[in-house]
Structures are given as C-alpha cells and as structure tokens.
Coordinates of all heavy atoms in Angstrom, one line a residue:
M20 N -31.4 20.0 33.4 CA -31.0 19.4 32.1 C -29.6 19.5 31.9 O -29.0 20.6 32.0 CB -31.9 20.0 31.0 CG -31.7 19.3 29.7 SD -32.9 19.9 28.5 CE -33.4 18.4 27.8
A21 N -28.9 18.4 31.5 CA -27.4 18.5 31.3 C -27.1 19.2 30.0 O -27.9 19.1 29.0 CB -26.9 17.1 31.2
E22 N -26.0 19.9 30.0 CA -25.6 20.7 28.9 C -24.9 19.8 27.9 O -24.0 19.0 28.3 CB -24.7 21.8 29.4 CG -24.6 22.8 28.3 CD -23.8 24.1 28.9 OE1 -24.2 24.6 29.9 OE2 -22.8 24.4 28.3
K23 N -25.2 19.9 26.6 CA -24.5 19.1 25.6 C -23.1 19.6 25.3 O -22.9 20.8 25.3 CB -25.3 19.1 24.4 CG -26.6 18.3 24.4 CD -27.2 18.4 23.1 CE -28.6 17.6 23.1 NZ -29.3 17.6 21.8
P24 N -22.1 18.7 25.2 CA -20.8 19.3 24.9 C -20.8 19.9 23.5 O -21.5 19.5 22.6 CB -19.9 18.0 24.9 CG -20.8 16.9 24.8 CD -22.1 17.3 25.3
H25 N -19.9 20.9 23.4 CA -19.9 21.6 22.1 C -19.0 20.8 21.2 O -17.8 20.6 21.5 CB -19.3 23.1 22.3 CG -19.1 23.8 21.0 ND1 -20.2 24.2 20.4 CD2 -18.0 24.2 20.4 CE1 -19.7 24.9 19.3 NE2 -18.5 24.9 19.3
I26 N -19.5 20.5 20.1 CA -18.7 19.6 19.1 C -18.7 20.5 17.8 O -19.6 20.9 17.3 CB -19.5 18.3 18.8 CG1 -19.6 17.5 20.0 CG2 -18.7 17.6 17.6 CD1 -20.4 16.2 19.8
T27 N -17.4 20.6 17.4 CA -17.2 21.4 16.1 C -16.8 20.4 15.1 O -16.1 19.4 15.3 CB -16.0 22.4 16.3 OG1 -14.9 21.7 16.6 CG2 -16.4 23.5 17.3
Q28 N -17.3 20.7 13.9 CA -17.0 19.8 12.8 C -16.3 20.6 11.7 O -16.9 21.6 11.3 CB -18.3 19.1 12.2 CG -18.8 18.1 13.1 CD -20.0 17.4 12.5 OE1 -20.6 17.9 11.6 NE2 -20.4 16.2 13.1
D29 N -15.2 20.1 11.2 CA -14.5 20.8 10.1 C -14.9 20.0 8.9 O -14.4 19.0 8.6 CB -13.1 20.8 10.3 CG -12.3 21.6 9.3 OD1 -13.0 22.2 8.4 OD2 -11.1 21.6 9.3
T30 N -15.8 20.5 8.1 CA -16.3 19.8 7.0 C -15.4 19.8 5.8 O -15.4 19.0 4.9 CB -17.7 20.4 6.4 OG1 -17.5 21.8 6.2 CG2 -18.7 20.2 7.5
E31 N -14.4 20.7 5.8 CA -13.4 20.7 4.8 C -12.3 19.8 5.0 O -11.5 19.5 4.1 CB -12.9 22.1 4.6 CG -14.0 23.1 4.2 CD -13.4 24.5 3.9 OE1 -12.1 24.6 3.7 OE2 -14.1 25.4 4.0
Q32 N -12.0 19.2 6.2 CA -10.9 18.4 6.4 C -11.2 17.0 5.9 O -12.2 16.4 6.2 CB -10.6 18.3 7.9 CG -9.4 17.5 8.3 CD -9.2 17.3 9.7 OE1 -9.9 17.9 10.5 NE2 -8.1 16.7 10.1
Q33 N -10.3 16.6 5.0 CA -10.4 15.2 4.5 C -9.7 14.2 5.4 O -8.7 14.6 6.1 CB -9.7 15.1 3.1 CG -10.4 16.0 2.1 CD -11.8 15.5 1.8 OE1 -12.1 14.3 1.7 NE2 -12.8 16.4 1.7
P34 N -10.2 13.0 5.5 CA -9.5 12.0 6.4 C -8.1 11.8 5.9 O -7.9 11.7 4.8 CB -10.4 10.7 6.2 CG -11.6 11.1 5.5 CD -11.3 12.4 4.9
T35 N -7.2 11.6 6.8 CA -5.8 11.3 6.5 C -5.5 9.9 6.9 O -6.3 9.3 7.7 CB -4.8 12.3 7.2 OG1 -5.0 12.1 8.6 CG2 -5.1 13.7 6.8
R36 N -4.4 9.3 6.5 CA -4.0 8.0 6.8 C -3.9 7.9 8.3 O -4.2 6.9 8.8 CB -2.7 7.7 6.1 CG -2.3 6.3 6.3 CD -1.0 6.0 5.5 NE -0.7 4.6 5.7 CZ 0.2 4.0 4.9 NH1 0.8 4.7 4.0 NH2 0.4 2.8 5.1
E37 N -3.3 8.9 9.0 CA -3.1 8.8 10.4 C -4.4 8.8 11.2 O -4.4 8.2 12.3 CB -2.3 10.1 10.8 CG -0.8 10.1 10.4 CD -0.7 10.4 8.9 OE1 -1.6 11.2 8.4 OE2 0.3 10.0 8.3
M38 N -5.5 9.3 10.6 CA -6.8 9.2 11.3 C -7.3 7.7 11.4 O -8.1 7.4 12.2 CB -7.8 10.0 10.6 CG -7.6 11.5 10.7 SD -8.9 12.4 9.8 CE -8.4 14.0 10.1
Y39 N -6.8 6.9 10.5 CA -7.3 5.5 10.5 C -6.4 4.5 11.2 O -6.6 3.4 11.3 CB -7.4 5.0 9.1 CG -8.5 5.8 8.3 CD1 -8.2 6.6 7.4 CD2 -9.8 5.6 8.7 CE1 -9.2 7.3 6.7 CE2 -10.9 6.2 8.0 CZ -10.5 7.1 7.0 OH -11.5 7.8 6.4
V40 N -5.3 5.1 11.8 CA -4.3 4.2 12.5 C -5.0 3.8 13.8 O -5.5 4.7 14.6 CB -3.0 4.9 12.8 CG1 -2.1 4.1 13.8 CG2 -2.3 5.2 11.5
F41 N -5.1 2.5 14.1 CA -5.7 2.0 15.3 C -4.7 1.1 16.0 O -4.3 0.2 15.5 CB -7.0 1.3 14.9 CG -7.7 0.7 16.2 CD1 -8.4 1.6 17.0 CD2 -7.6 -0.6 16.5 CE1 -9.1 1.1 18.1 CE2 -8.3 -1.1 17.6 CZ -9.0 -0.3 18.4
G42 N -4.5 1.3 17.3 CA -3.6 0.5 18.0 C -2.1 0.5 17.6 O -1.5 -0.4 17.7
G43 N -1.8 1.6 16.9 CA -0.4 1.7 16.5 C -0.1 1.1 15.1 O 1.0 1.1 14.6
R44 N -1.2 0.5 14.5 CA -1.0 -0.1 13.2 C -1.9 0.5 12.2 O -3.1 0.8 12.4 CB -1.3 -1.6 13.3 CG -0.3 -2.4 14.1 CD -0.6 -3.8 14.1 NE -0.7 -4.3 12.7 CZ -1.0 -5.5 12.4 NH1 -1.3 -6.4 13.3 NH2 -1.2 -5.8 11.1
A45 N -1.4 0.7 11.0 CA -2.2 1.3 9.9 C -3.0 0.1 9.3 O -2.5 -1.0 9.4 CB -1.3 1.9 8.9
P46 N -4.1 0.4 8.8 CA -4.9 -0.7 8.2 C -4.2 -1.2 6.9 O -3.4 -0.6 6.3 CB -6.2 0.0 7.8 CG -5.8 1.5 7.7 CD -4.7 1.7 8.7
M47 N -4.4 -2.5 6.6 CA -3.9 -3.1 5.4 C -4.5 -2.4 4.2 O -5.7 -2.2 4.2 CB -4.1 -4.5 5.4 CG -3.2 -5.4 6.2 SD -3.2 -7.1 5.9 CE -4.7 -7.5 6.8
A48 N -3.7 -2.2 3.2 CA -4.2 -1.6 2.0 C -3.6 -2.5 0.9 O -2.5 -3.1 1.0 CB -3.7 -0.2 1.7
I49 N -4.4 -2.7 -0.2 CA -4.0 -3.5 -1.4 C -3.7 -2.5 -2.5 O -4.5 -1.6 -2.8 CB -5.2 -4.5 -1.7 CG1 -5.4 -5.5 -0.6 CG2 -4.8 -5.2 -3.0 CD1 -6.5 -6.4 -0.8
L50 N -2.6 -2.7 -3.0 CA -2.2 -1.9 -4.2 C -2.3 -2.7 -5.5 O -1.9 -3.9 -5.6 CB -0.7 -1.5 -4.1 CG -0.4 -0.7 -2.8 CD1 1.1 -0.4 -2.8 CD2 -1.1 0.6 -2.7
R51 N -2.9 -2.1 -6.5 CA -3.0 -2.7 -7.9 C -1.7 -2.3 -8.6 O -0.9 -1.5 -8.2 CB -4.3 -2.2 -8.6 CG -5.6 -2.6 -7.9 CD -5.8 -4.1 -7.8 NE -5.8 -4.7 -9.1 CZ -6.7 -4.8 -10.0 NH1 -7.9 -4.3 -9.7 NH2 -6.6 -5.4 -11.1
L52 N -1.5 -3.0 -9.7 CA -0.2 -2.8 -10.5 C 0.1 -1.4 -10.8 O 1.3 -1.0 -10.6 CB -0.3 -3.7 -11.7 CG 1.0 -3.7 -12.6 CD1 2.2 -4.2 -11.8 CD2 0.8 -4.5 -13.9
P53 N -0.8 -0.5 -11.2 CA -0.3 0.9 -11.5 C 0.3 1.6 -10.2 O 1.2 2.3 -10.4 CB -1.6 1.6 -12.0 CG -2.4 0.5 -12.5 CD -2.2 -0.7 -11.7
A54 N -0.3 1.3 -9.1 CA 0.2 1.9 -7.9 C 1.5 1.3 -7.5 O 2.4 2.0 -7.0 CB -0.8 1.7 -6.7
V55 N 1.7 0.0 -7.7 CA 3.0 -0.7 -7.4 C 4.1 -0.1 -8.3 O 5.2 0.2 -7.9 CB 2.9 -2.2 -7.6 CG1 4.2 -2.9 -7.4 CG2 2.0 -2.7 -6.5
R56 N 3.7 0.1 -9.6 CA 4.7 0.6 -10.5 C 5.1 2.0 -10.1 O 6.3 2.4 -10.1 CB 4.1 0.7 -11.9 CG 4.0 -0.8 -12.6 CD 3.4 -0.8 -13.9 NE 4.3 0.0 -14.8 CZ 4.0 0.6 -15.9 NH1 2.8 0.6 -16.3 NH2 4.9 1.3 -16.6
A57 N 4.1 2.8 -9.7 CA 4.4 4.2 -9.3 C 5.3 4.2 -8.0 O 6.2 5.0 -8.0 CB 3.1 5.0 -9.0
R58 N 5.0 3.3 -7.1 CA 5.8 3.3 -5.8 C 7.2 2.8 -6.1 O 8.1 3.3 -5.4 CB 5.1 2.4 -4.8 CG 3.8 2.8 -4.3 CD 4.0 3.6 -3.0 NE 2.7 4.0 -2.4 CZ 2.1 3.5 -1.4 NH1 2.6 2.5 -0.8 NH2 0.9 4.0 -1.1
T59 N 7.4 1.8 -6.9 CA 8.7 1.3 -7.1 C 9.5 1.8 -8.3 O 10.8 1.7 -8.2 CB 8.6 -0.2 -7.4 OG1 7.9 -0.5 -8.6 CG2 7.9 -1.0 -6.2
G60 N 8.9 2.4 -9.2 CA 9.6 2.9 -10.4 C 9.9 1.8 -11.4 O 10.7 2.0 -12.3
L61 N 9.4 0.6 -11.1 CA 9.7 -0.5 -12.0 C 8.6 -0.7 -13.1 O 7.4 -0.4 -12.9 CB 9.8 -1.9 -11.2 CG 10.8 -1.9 -10.1 CD1 10.7 -3.2 -9.3 CD2 12.2 -1.8 -10.6
S62 N 9.0 -1.3 -14.2 CA 8.0 -1.6 -15.3 C 7.3 -2.9 -14.9 O 7.7 -3.7 -14.0 CB 8.7 -1.8 -16.6 OG 9.5 -3.0 -16.6
R63 N 6.2 -3.1 -15.6 CA 5.4 -4.3 -15.4 C 6.3 -5.6 -15.6 O 6.3 -6.5 -14.9 CB 4.2 -4.3 -16.4 CG 3.3 -5.5 -16.2 CD 2.3 -5.5 -17.4 NE 1.3 -6.6 -17.3 CZ 1.5 -7.8 -17.6 NH1 2.8 -8.1 -18.1 NH2 0.7 -8.7 -17.4
A64 N 7.0 -5.5 -16.8 CA 7.8 -6.7 -17.1 C 8.9 -6.9 -16.0 O 9.1 -8.1 -15.6 CB 8.5 -6.4 -18.4
T65 N 9.5 -5.9 -15.5 CA 10.5 -6.1 -14.4 C 9.9 -6.6 -13.2 O 10.5 -7.5 -12.5 CB 11.2 -4.7 -14.2 OG1 11.9 -4.3 -15.4 CG2 12.3 -4.9 -13.1
I66 N 8.7 -6.1 -12.7 CA 8.0 -6.6 -11.6 C 7.8 -8.1 -11.7 O 8.1 -8.9 -10.8 CB 6.8 -5.8 -11.3 CG1 7.1 -4.4 -10.9 CG2 5.8 -6.6 -10.3 CD1 5.8 -3.5 -10.8
Y67 N 7.2 -8.5 -12.8 CA 6.9 -10.0 -13.0 C 8.1 -10.8 -13.1 O 8.2 -12.0 -12.6 CB 5.9 -10.2 -14.1 CG 4.5 -9.8 -13.7 CD1 4.0 -8.6 -14.0 CD2 3.8 -10.7 -12.8 CE1 2.7 -8.3 -13.6 CE2 2.5 -10.4 -12.4 CZ 2.0 -9.2 -12.8 OH 0.7 -9.0 -12.3
R68 N 9.3 -10.3 -13.7 CA 10.5 -11.0 -13.8 C 11.1 -11.2 -12.4 O 11.5 -12.3 -12.1 CB 11.5 -10.3 -14.7 CG 12.8 -11.0 -15.0 CD 13.7 -10.4 -16.0 NE 14.0 -9.0 -15.8 CZ 13.5 -8.0 -16.5 NH1 12.7 -8.2 -17.5 NH2 13.8 -6.7 -16.3
K69 N 11.0 -10.1 -11.6 CA 11.5 -10.2 -10.2 C 10.7 -11.2 -9.4 O 11.2 -11.8 -8.4 CB 11.6 -8.9 -9.6 CG 12.7 -8.0 -10.1 CD 12.9 -6.7 -9.4 CE 14.1 -5.9 -9.8 NZ 15.3 -6.4 -9.3
I70 N 9.4 -11.2 -9.6 CA 8.5 -12.2 -8.9 C 9.0 -13.6 -9.3 O 9.1 -14.5 -8.3 CB 7.0 -12.0 -9.3 CG1 6.5 -10.7 -8.7 CG2 6.2 -13.2 -8.8 CD1 5.1 -10.2 -9.2
Q71 N 9.2 -13.9 -10.5 CA 9.6 -15.2 -10.9 C 11.0 -15.6 -10.3 O 11.2 -16.8 -10.0 CB 9.8 -15.3 -12.5 CG 8.5 -15.3 -13.2 CD 7.5 -16.4 -12.8 OE1 8.1 -17.6 -12.7 NE2 6.3 -16.2 -12.8
S72 N 11.8 -14.7 -10.1 CA 13.1 -15.0 -9.5 C 13.1 -14.8 -7.9 O 14.1 -14.7 -7.3 CB 14.2 -14.2 -10.1 OG 14.0 -12.8 -9.8
A73 N 12.0 -14.7 -7.4 CA 11.7 -14.5 -5.9 C 12.4 -13.3 -5.3 O 12.8 -13.3 -4.2 CB 12.1 -15.7 -5.2
E74 N 12.6 -12.2 -6.1 CA 13.2 -11.0 -5.7 C 12.1 -9.9 -5.4 O 12.5 -8.8 -5.0 CB 14.1 -10.4 -6.8 CG 15.3 -11.3 -7.1 CD 16.0 -10.8 -8.3 OE1 16.4 -9.6 -8.3 OE2 16.4 -11.5 -9.2
F75 N 10.9 -10.2 -5.6 CA 9.8 -9.2 -5.4 C 8.6 -9.9 -4.8 O 8.4 -11.1 -5.1 CB 9.4 -8.5 -6.7 CG 8.6 -7.4 -6.6 CD1 9.3 -6.1 -6.3 CD2 7.3 -7.3 -6.8 CE1 8.6 -5.0 -6.2 CE2 6.5 -6.1 -6.7 CZ 7.2 -4.9 -6.4
P76 N 7.8 -9.2 -3.9 CA 6.7 -9.9 -3.3 C 5.7 -10.4 -4.3 O 5.4 -9.8 -5.3 CB 6.0 -8.9 -2.4 CG 7.1 -7.8 -2.3 CD 8.0 -7.9 -3.5
R77 N 5.1 -11.6 -4.1 CA 4.1 -12.1 -5.0 C 2.8 -11.4 -4.7 O 2.4 -11.1 -3.6 CB 3.9 -13.6 -4.7 CG 5.1 -14.4 -5.0 CD 4.9 -16.0 -5.0 NE 4.1 -16.4 -6.1 CZ 4.4 -16.5 -7.3 NH1 5.7 -16.3 -7.7 NH2 3.6 -16.9 -8.3
P78 N 2.0 -11.2 -5.7 CA 0.6 -10.6 -5.6 C -0.4 -11.6 -4.9 O -0.2 -12.8 -5.0 CB 0.2 -10.2 -7.0 CG 1.0 -11.2 -7.9 CD 2.2 -11.5 -7.2
H79 N -1.4 -11.1 -4.4 CA -2.5 -11.9 -3.8 C -3.7 -11.9 -4.8 O -4.0 -10.7 -5.3 CB -2.9 -11.4 -2.4 CG -1.8 -11.4 -1.5 ND1 -1.4 -12.6 -0.7 CD2 -0.8 -10.5 -1.2 CE1 -0.5 -12.3 0.0 NE2 0.0 -11.0 -0.2
P80 N -4.3 -13.0 -5.0 CA -5.5 -13.0 -5.9 C -6.7 -12.2 -5.2 O -6.9 -12.4 -4.0 CB -5.9 -14.4 -6.1 CG -5.1 -15.2 -5.1 CD -4.0 -14.3 -4.6
L81 N -7.3 -11.4 -6.0 CA -8.4 -10.6 -5.5 C -9.7 -11.1 -6.1 O -10.8 -11.0 -5.4 CB -8.3 -9.1 -5.8 CG -7.0 -8.4 -5.3 CD1 -6.9 -7.0 -5.8 CD2 -6.9 -8.5 -3.8
S82 N -9.6 -11.6 -7.2 CA -10.8 -12.2 -7.9 C -10.3 -13.1 -9.0 O -9.0 -13.4 -9.0 CB -11.7 -11.1 -8.6 OG -11.1 -10.5 -9.7
Q83 N -11.1 -13.6 -9.9 CA -10.7 -14.5 -10.9 C -9.6 -13.9 -11.8 O -8.7 -14.5 -12.3 CB -11.8 -15.0 -11.7 CG -11.5 -16.2 -12.6 CD -12.7 -16.7 -13.3 OE1 -13.8 -16.1 -13.2 NE2 -12.6 -17.8 -14.0
R84 N -9.7 -12.6 -12.0 CA -8.8 -11.9 -13.0 C -8.1 -10.8 -12.4 O -7.5 -10.0 -13.2 CB -9.6 -11.5 -14.2 CG -10.2 -12.6 -15.0 CD -11.0 -12.1 -16.1 NE -10.4 -11.1 -16.9 CZ -10.1 -11.2 -18.2 NH1 -10.4 -12.3 -18.8 NH2 -9.5 -10.2 -18.8
A85 N -8.0 -10.6 -11.1 CA -7.4 -9.4 -10.5 C -6.4 -9.8 -9.4 O -6.8 -10.8 -8.6 CB -8.5 -8.4 -10.0
V86 N -5.3 -9.2 -9.3 CA -4.4 -9.4 -8.2 C -4.0 -8.1 -7.7 O -4.2 -7.0 -8.3 CB -3.1 -10.2 -8.7 CG1 -3.5 -11.5 -9.2 CG2 -2.3 -9.4 -9.7
G87 N -3.5 -8.2 -6.4 CA -3.0 -7.0 -5.7 C -1.9 -7.3 -4.8 O -1.8 -8.5 -4.4
W88 N -1.1 -6.3 -4.4 CA 0.0 -6.5 -3.5 C -0.4 -5.8 -2.2 O -1.0 -4.7 -2.2 CB 1.2 -5.9 -4.0 CG 1.9 -6.6 -5.1 CD1 2.9 -7.5 -5.0 CD2 1.5 -6.6 -6.5 NE1 3.2 -8.0 -6.2 CE2 2.4 -7.5 -7.2 CE3 0.5 -6.0 -7.3 CZ2 2.3 -7.7 -8.6 CZ3 0.4 -6.2 -8.6 CH2 1.3 -7.0 -9.2
L89 N 0.0 -6.4 -1.1 CA -0.2 -5.7 0.2 C 0.8 -4.5 0.3 O 2.0 -4.6 -0.1 CB 0.1 -6.6 1.4 CG -0.9 -7.7 1.6 CD1 -0.4 -8.6 2.8 CD2 -2.2 -7.1 2.0
E90 N 0.3 -3.4 0.7 CA 1.1 -2.2 0.7 C 2.3 -2.4 1.6 O 3.4 -1.9 1.3 CB 0.3 -1.0 1.2 CG 1.0 0.3 1.3 CD 0.2 1.5 1.8 OE1 -0.7 1.2 2.6 OE2 0.4 2.6 1.4
S91 N 2.1 -3.1 2.7 CA 3.2 -3.4 3.7 C 4.3 -4.2 3.0 O 5.5 -4.0 3.3 CB 2.7 -4.1 4.9 OG 2.0 -5.3 4.5
D92 N 3.9 -5.1 2.1 CA 4.9 -6.0 1.4 C 5.8 -5.0 0.5 O 7.0 -5.2 0.4 CB 4.3 -7.1 0.6 CG 3.8 -8.2 1.4 OD1 4.0 -8.2 2.6 OD2 3.0 -8.9 0.8
I93 N 5.1 -4.1 -0.2 CA 5.8 -3.2 -1.1 C 6.7 -2.3 -0.3 O 7.9 -2.0 -0.7 CB 4.9 -2.5 -2.0 CG1 4.0 -3.5 -2.9 CG2 5.6 -1.5 -3.0 CD1 4.8 -4.4 -3.7
E94 N 6.2 -1.7 0.8 CA 7.0 -0.8 1.6 C 8.3 -1.6 2.2 O 9.3 -1.0 2.2 CB 6.2 -0.2 2.7 CG 5.0 0.7 2.2 CD 5.5 1.9 1.4 OE1 6.6 2.4 1.8 OE2 4.9 2.2 0.4
A95 N 8.1 -2.8 2.6 CA 9.2 -3.6 3.1 C 10.2 -3.9 2.0 O 11.4 -3.7 2.2 CB 8.7 -4.9 3.7
W96 N 9.7 -4.1 0.8 CA 10.7 -4.3 -0.3 C 11.5 -3.1 -0.6 O 12.7 -3.1 -0.8 CB 9.9 -4.8 -1.6 CG 10.9 -5.1 -2.8 CD1 11.5 -6.3 -2.9 CD2 11.2 -4.2 -3.8 NE1 12.3 -6.1 -4.1 CE2 12.1 -4.9 -4.6 CE3 10.9 -2.9 -4.1 CZ2 12.6 -4.3 -5.7 CZ3 11.4 -2.3 -5.2 CH2 12.3 -3.0 -6.0
I97 N 10.8 -1.9 -0.6 CA 11.4 -0.6 -0.9 C 12.5 -0.4 0.2 O 13.6 0.0 -0.1 CB 10.4 0.5 -1.0 CG1 9.6 0.4 -2.3 CG2 11.1 1.8 -1.0 CD1 8.4 1.3 -2.3
S98 N 12.1 -0.6 1.5 CA 13.0 -0.5 2.6 C 14.3 -1.3 2.5 O 15.4 -0.9 2.8 CB 12.3 -0.7 4.0 OG 11.3 0.2 4.1
S99 N 14.0 -2.5 2.0 CA 15.2 -3.5 1.9 C 16.1 -3.0 0.7 O 17.3 -3.2 0.8 CB 14.8 -4.9 1.7 OG 14.1 -5.1 0.4
C100 N 15.5 -2.4 -0.3 CA 16.4 -1.9 -1.4 C 17.2 -0.7 -0.9 O 18.4 -0.6 -1.2 CB 15.5 -1.4 -2.5 SG 14.7 -2.7 -3.5
I101 N 16.6 0.1 0.0 CA 17.4 1.2 0.5 C 18.5 0.8 1.4 O 19.6 1.2 1.4 CB 16.4 2.2 1.2 CG1 15.5 2.8 0.1 CG2 17.2 3.3 2.0 CD1 14.3 3.6 0.8
A102 N 18.1 -0.2 2.3 CA 19.0 -0.7 3.3 C 20.2 -1.5 2.7 O 21.3 -1.4 3.1 CB 18.3 -1.5 4.3
G103 N 19.9 -2.3 1.6 CA 20.9 -3.2 1.0 C 21.4 -2.7 -0.2 O 22.3 -3.4 -0.8
G104 N 21.0 -1.6 -0.8 CA 21.4 -1.2 -2.1 C 20.6 -1.8 -3.2 O 20.2 -2.9 -3.1
A105 N 20.2 -1.0 -4.1 CA 19.2 -1.4 -5.2 C 19.8 -2.5 -6.0 O 19.1 -3.2 -6.6 CB 18.8 -0.2 -6.0
N106 N 21.1 -2.6 -6.2 CA 21.7 -3.6 -7.0 C 21.6 -5.0 -6.4 O 21.7 -6.0 -7.2 CB 23.2 -3.3 -7.2 CG 23.4 -2.0 -8.0 OD1 22.5 -1.7 -8.8 ND2 24.6 -1.4 -7.8
D107 N 21.2 -5.1 -5.2 CA 21.0 -6.4 -4.5 C 19.7 -6.9 -4.9 O 19.4 -8.1 -4.5 CB 21.2 -6.3 -3.0 CG 22.6 -6.0 -2.6 OD1 23.5 -6.1 -3.5 OD2 22.8 -5.5 -1.5
H108 N 18.8 -6.2 -5.4 CA 17.4 -6.7 -5.7 C 17.1 -6.7 -7.1 O 16.9 -6.1 -7.9 CB 16.4 -5.7 -4.9 CG 16.6 -5.8 -3.4 ND1 16.1 -6.8 -2.7 CD2 17.3 -5.0 -2.6 CE1 16.5 -6.6 -1.4 NE2 17.2 -5.6 -1.3

C-alpha cells in the first residue's frame, strides 16, 4: 500500500493577495467609493469632478444603483500621479 504524503495545514494562516496570483497576474478587484477615497486621499466631490474632466478613471456599473472602480485603474492613476507630479492630475 502506497504511503500518503504528509500534508500540514496551518489553520491560523489567512490567505494573502500573493496566494491568489495566477500566471503572474493578480485577480481583478473592484473597489467601491469608500475604498477609492481611502486609497487616493480625495473627497467624493473631487473624484467626481476629476471624472467629469477626464482626469480620473470612470467607474463601472455593478448594478442599477452601484458602481465600482477596477483596482488596477486606481493603482495606475496613483502611479501616474507619483511619476508626473500630483499637480498634473
């Protein structure tokens, strides 16, 4: 009879983002407005004003009354602010 491999399970370890990376790409995540505000440091009014002037990524409709932003779009916007200077955005 073949011997079963010894498998240990760490029940206290919570999944991390890196555990979900597949093929070198992280999964897409959708951020709602409170998370976008926390990531960018911008107010709701500023976010929507920047959307109107095409300075900020547009949200994607999630349902009839809910929208969300792709995390990758927000991260790219933050990176462009860092690279180009915050006054350019």
Side-chain angles (χ1 to χ4, degrees):
M20 187 172 222
E22 195 173 308
K23 291 182 182 177
H25 180 69
I26 300 173
T27 59
Q28 291 181 343
D29 186 6
T30 57
E31 294 182 26
Q32 182 181 6
Q33 295 295 318
T35 62
R36 183 178 188 167
E37 290 76 25
M38 289 180 179
Y39 293 109
V40 173
F41 180 75
R44 292 186 51 185
M47 280 194 280
I49 296 175
L50 303 176
R51 298 295 305 276
L52 184 59
V55 173
R56 289 182 62 207
R58 292 261 179 109
T59 63
L61 300 175
S62 70
R63 177 187 187 282
T65 300
I66 289 170
Y67 281 102
R68 187 172 52 249
K69 287 182 174 290
I70 290 169
Q71 289 298 324
S72 64
E74 298 175 47
F75 196 79
R77 296 190 70 76
H79 298 274
L81 303 175
S82 70
Q83 190 174 9
R84 295 176 49 118
V86 297
W88 288 259
L89 290 177
E90 182 180 31
S91 58
D92 290 347
I93 301 304
E94 294 299 322
W96 182 84
I97 292 169
S98 295
S99 71
C100 285
I101 293 169
N106 294 332
D107 295 342
H108 296 280

